[in-house]
Amino acid sequence: MAEKKAPLPDIEATRRRLSHGLDLTNRLTVGEWLDMWLAGKKGRQSAISRDESNIRVHLKPRIGHLRLDRLRVAHLSEMFEAIAEANVEIAEGNAARCKAFEGLAQIPWKGREHRAHRKAMKVAIAEMEPYRRIVGPATRQRVRSTLRAALNAAIAQQLITFNPAAHVELEAGKRPKALMWTEERIFHWKRTGEKPSPVMVDTGAHRPLPRSHRGGPPVRAVPPDRVPRTATR
């Protein structure tokens, strides 16, 4: 049997590539180019780590298989729509896990039936999806920023002629509101792993926390004898 011929390339796309002196036989994928771009990126380590995370978690799994020269705005719109749909599933899973912990906290410790019920609830919780973060508008903006920078570099290398990341529409990313740590918020954080806000402020002394405590509640905020037993894992 004769081998199936590949479809003819788009005439206008071919003309554009010829006019820009680009290689007509290039088959570089988005994922391959992102790896090349990241390997040669210079600057602050924090910025490089952020780009690496955006590429590994979001960009390569969703659009890494596409050809770099065929990436379009529609592909990126579909990617961000899929992320928004995944957010709904994440929120539902987090809510179910939180509700299960609340149910577990209502079961008395004493009594054979209660102990068996608690054991069954713990098994059910262990089988649930772990708590996951929602990919909010600000994070989606940072993902697009990473891709836009990588595609600008591809244009500079004469690999492509158009940057779709510069034209995809996204919801504006707002800075998260800072919240004070309270006993209720600490209890919720210990039980679910969910911080009330990405930016949390220390209470009590009203002074900056040590660097090791800035991501979570201050150790001194709740005395050990006042933390409910159900808050421990």
Side-chain angles (χ1 to χ4, degrees):
M1 294 179 62
E3 294 184 1
K4 188 176 181 180
K5 294 183 179 180
L8 293 175
D10 180 75
I11 295 177
E12 291 302 320
T14 302
R15 287 175 178 172
R16 285 197 303 270
R17 294 179 66 80
L18 283 172
S19 66
H20 287 78
L22 303 185
D23 182 8
L24 297 181
T25 62
N26 180 46
R27 295 293 185 271
L28 194 66
T29 66
V30 173
E32 290 169 343
W33 171 248
L34 289 174
D35 288 339
M36 293 169 60
W37 173 75
L38 186 64
K41 184 176 174 60
K42 297 180 181 180
R44 293 182 302 174
Q45 186 57 45
S46 59
I48 295 175
S49 297
R50 180 197 63 196
D51 289 332
E52 187 278 332
S53 177
N54 290 337
I55 291 170
R56 172 174 46 82
V57 177
H58 301 290
L59 295 174
K60 288 184 67 174
R62 296 188 182 275
I63 60 172
H65 62 286
L66 299 174
R67 271 182 51 173
L68 179 64
D69 60 335
R70 293 184 179 178
L71 187 64
R72 298 291 179 263
V73 175
H75 295 138
L76 304 188
S77 296
E78 291 175 1
M79 177 182 72
F80 286 113
E81 287 174 4
I83 290 175
E85 292 174 359
N87 279 342
V88 176
E89 296 179 3
I90 292 173
E92 291 175 350
N94 291 345
R97 188 175 180 85
C98 183
K99 185 177 180 180
F101 272 108
E102 291 175 353
L104 180 63
Q106 300 300 318
I107 303 174
W109 286 83
K110 296 182 179 180
R112 180 180 300 176
E113 292 183 0
H114 291 154
R115 287 196 297 269
H117 192 187
R118 289 182 63 86
K119 183 177 180 180
M121 285 288 293
K122 289 180 179 180
V123 171
I125 291 173
E127 294 176 349
M128 290 181 175
E129 288 286 338
Y131 172 80
R132 293 179 292 169
R133 291 183 179 180
I134 296 293
V135 183
T139 300
R140 294 198 289 272
Q141 288 284 355
R142 288 192 290 268
V143 171
R144 180 178 70 165
S145 177
T146 295
L147 181 60
R148 183 168 53 193
L151 295 181
N152 281 337
I155 291 175
Q157 294 293 326
Q158 296 186 329
L159 296 174
I160 56 176
T161 62
F162 173 72
N163 189 338
H167 300 275
V168 64
E169 295 183 0
L170 290 179
E171 178 184 354
K174 298 180 180 179
R175 291 187 175 183
K177 180 180 179 181
L179 296 177
M180 301 289 288
W181 278 115
T182 63
E183 291 189 7
E184 292 78 10
R185 288 169 179 163
I186 292 170
F187 179 54
H188 178 77
W189 176 80
K190 284 178 174 291
R191 184 177 56 195
T192 67
E194 178 182 3
K195 287 200 300 182
S197 171
V199 181
M200 299 302 297
V201 181
D202 186 19
T203 57
H206 301 291
R207 59 181 177 80
L209 280 172
R211 186 175 298 274
S212 60
H213 290 163
R214 289 178 187 174
V219 174
R220 66 177 186 284
V222 180
D225 59 336
R226 295 182 61 185
V227 177
R229 296 182 65 184
T230 54
T232 59
R233 295 185 179 179

